[in-house]
Amino acid sequence: MFRPLSVMLVALLVAGCAAATEEGGEDPKGPITFATGRDTTGYLQPLLDRWNKAHPAQKVTLLELPEAADEQRAQLVANLQARSDRYDVLGLDVVWTAEFADNGWIIPLERGSFPLDRFLPPVVDTAVYKGKLWAVPYTSNAGLLYYRKDLVKKPPTTWAQLRSQALSATKKHDIGGYAGQLAAYEGLTVNFAEAVQSAGGTLPDLDQAKAKQALDFFTQGLREGWIPPQALNYKEEESRLAFQNGQLVFARNWPHAYGPATQSKVAGRFAVTRLPGLDGPGSSSLGGANLAISAYSKRQNTAQEFIKYFTSLENERRVLTEGSFPPVWAELYDDPALIKRFPYLPVLKESILAAKPRPVSANYNQLSLVVASAVSKALSPPYDQSTDDVAASMKAELAEIVATQ
């Protein structure tokens, strides 16, 4: 059947446009999904409802991943390795940026599309890899030292002061001295990294002498008893409960432990400060979450608009007031009304600004396992392993991982 040339051209153009859409040349707006760790506070859905009410044709559906970070990562990786388009916006632990970018699972973003200059600088660094922005900071985090102000006149700023005060309190009050997260998991990597940084070193470019000093801090505490042996099984929840139940003078934990403590046995009798270090205030590891866009999403434009909305100043305020998560906007830490409600904000801001990202590596998971395994061996009773030997072995293993990147 004869068809006029003009009709044939229109048909070809339409077919070409359809092919371009299938190949990702176009990005029609529409419904998206937001995959992130399980919401334990119930603050997320109201934020999503506000977006959905204003964008009925671009509704977002929350897909809750497991609560544990390792399980979240496993589920995300399985989806992305399958090149599935089920997930659009991804809630990523800040240490996953390099791995997800290196594997091509997320897309780079334009820096100018987001008000990054109003965010805390170290937080922005967690979303950058090889000079490109791969995600947008959503929440931040830094370790704090919780202490019993009724038992301690002045909080310690050095390890020596912490040791002295912990020893004194354990004898006078029959109470545990200090605990962090010393079980053999990611938390142990974080606690060790903080100790290394607080001694003047870094990971993964490990200085053996600094690593030994970090290990000695923990092993000395365990041998002398001011770090109770139970701490070797503590993760965040166990250390939080031990402190708020009045079993510890000092505890290293994240800001999320503050609220529950105000409703516990130690209510009105505790405060927080920066982590102590070898010769002065120490350095925390940066925690938190970033929002990225799946490389396989068919709604990347909508995903980006949603991220802009979700990380806006108004919503970041709600992240703090309704979810109790540290925001990424610097000005919120100086808001008098918020400080009155969350007295730890000034100390937390100092801690975040002095914090360092965990090692930026596409092989971070492997690196973390090496550190946690080595440190766990050094901290195992009867604490007779040479910390110098452990430090040397760890340094060699980390160097090998870095060399294979």
Side-chain angles (χ1 to χ4, degrees):
M1 180 179 178
F2 175 77
R3 303 174 71 183
L5 181 59
S6 59
V7 174
M8 293 180 67
L9 285 173
V10 169
L12 287 170
L13 285 171
V14 170
C17 289
T21 299
E22 289 175 2
E23 294 171 5
E26 289 186 2
D27 184 29
K29 293 184 177 182
I32 59 171
T33 56
F34 174 28
T36 190
R38 187 166 70 86
D39 177 17
T40 58
T41 66
Y43 85 101
L44 267 179
Q45 194 58 53
L47 298 187
L48 302 183
D49 290 343
R50 289 186 182 93
W51 166 272
N52 289 341
K53 186 176 181 180
H55 304 82
Q58 302 171 61
K59 288 188 175 181
V60 60
T61 299
L62 176 64
L63 292 177
E64 290 188 303
L65 303 175
E67 188 174 347
D70 290 347
E71 294 176 29
Q72 291 174 30
R73 177 187 167 277
Q75 195 163 317
L76 287 171
V77 168
N79 172 276
L80 295 164
Q81 286 179 333
R83 305 173 72 88
S84 169
D85 63 359
R86 187 180 179 215
Y87 300 160
D88 297 292
V89 177
L90 312 176
L92 303 183
D93 189 295
V94 292
V95 300
W96 300 340
T97 302
E99 177 189 9
F100 280 57
D102 209 55
N103 282 289
W105 294 334
I106 54 180
I107 64 170
L109 304 172
E110 289 292 331
R111 287 175 179 261
S113 298
F114 308 93
L116 302 180
D117 59 326
R118 297 176 70 179
F119 292 1
L120 293 167
V123 174
V124 176
D125 291 342
T126 68
V128 175
Y129 178 62
K130 293 185 176 178
K132 292 183 179 180
L133 182 74
W134 294 92
V136 181
Y138 172 55
T139 63
S140 188
N141 231 346
L144 301 171
L145 182 70
Y146 289 71
Y147 69 95
R148 288 283 297 276
K149 62 182 182 181
D150 58 330
L151 304 180
V152 175
K153 291 183 179 179
K154 186 178 180 181
T157 57
T158 66
W159 289 345
Q161 292 170 358
L162 174 66
R163 172 182 176 271
S164 175
Q165 294 176 2
L167 278 171
S168 176
T170 56
K171 293 175 183 177
K172 288 182 181 178
H173 306 285
D174 190 27
I175 188 174
Y178 168 85
Q181 293 73 50
L182 302 185
Y185 78 118
E186 170 66 13
L188 182 55
T189 300
V190 169
N191 278 241
F192 177 71
E194 290 174 339
V196 169
Q197 292 163 196
S198 298
T202 59
L203 285 176
D205 301 321
L206 196 61
D207 179 284
Q208 187 172 328
K210 302 298 182 186
K212 174 178 167 52
Q213 288 175 316
L215 290 171
D216 287 343
F217 165 69
F218 295 114
T219 56
Q220 181 184 33
L222 289 161
R223 282 197 308 269
E224 295 179 343
W226 51 271
I227 297 180
Q230 296 91 330
L232 295 175
N233 298 314
Y234 284 176
K235 295 183 179 181
E236 282 86 352
E237 187 67 2
E238 291 82 0
S239 54
R240 178 184 71 81
L241 289 172
F243 182 78
Q244 72 179 49
N245 288 337
Q247 298 167 10
L248 294 168
V249 185
F250 300 102
R252 179 265 174 222
N253 217 324
W254 303 102
H256 79 275
Y258 192 95
T262 62
Q263 307 297 319
S264 73
K265 292 181 180 179
V266 299
R269 295 187 289 155
F270 78 96
V272 295
T273 188
R274 284 179 57 182
L275 297 176
L278 179 62
D279 300 311
S283 170
S284 170
S285 290
L286 270 176
N290 298 332
L291 301 183
I293 298 175
S294 168
Y296 311 112
S297 167
K298 293 181 178 179
R299 302 283 189 269
Q300 292 180 359
N301 284 335
T302 298
Q304 177 160 308
E305 290 305 309
F306 172 74
I307 290 176
K308 287 180 183 178
Y309 156 81
F310 221 55
T311 58
S312 66
L313 179 60
E314 179 184 8
N315 277 333
E316 283 290 302
R317 184 182 295 272
R318 293 191 180 107
V319 164
L320 174 62
T321 59
E322 299 173 21
S324 294
F325 293 104
V328 298
W329 285 69
E331 60 202 75
L332 293 177
Y333 289 83
D334 303 319
D335 185 311
L338 291 177
I339 293 173
K340 184 177 181 180
R341 184 172 171 183
F342 303 96
Y344 59 81
L345 285 179
V347 171
L348 178 57
K349 182 181 180 181
E350 285 182 26
S351 297
I352 291 174
L353 292 176
K356 294 180 181 178
R358 279 167 275 176
V360 178
S361 170
N363 296 324
Y364 178 80
N365 223 39
Q366 183 182 2
L367 185 152
S368 179
L369 288 171
V370 165
V371 171
S373 176
V375 176
S376 182
K377 289 178 182 176
L379 303 192
S380 298
Y383 322 120
D384 58 357
Q385 283 223 24
S386 165
T387 53
D388 203 37
D389 290 347
V390 173
S393 174
M394 192 191 316
K395 177 181 174 66
E397 288 190 73
L398 292 179
E400 188 175 338
I401 292 173
V402 171
T404 59
Q405 288 189 158

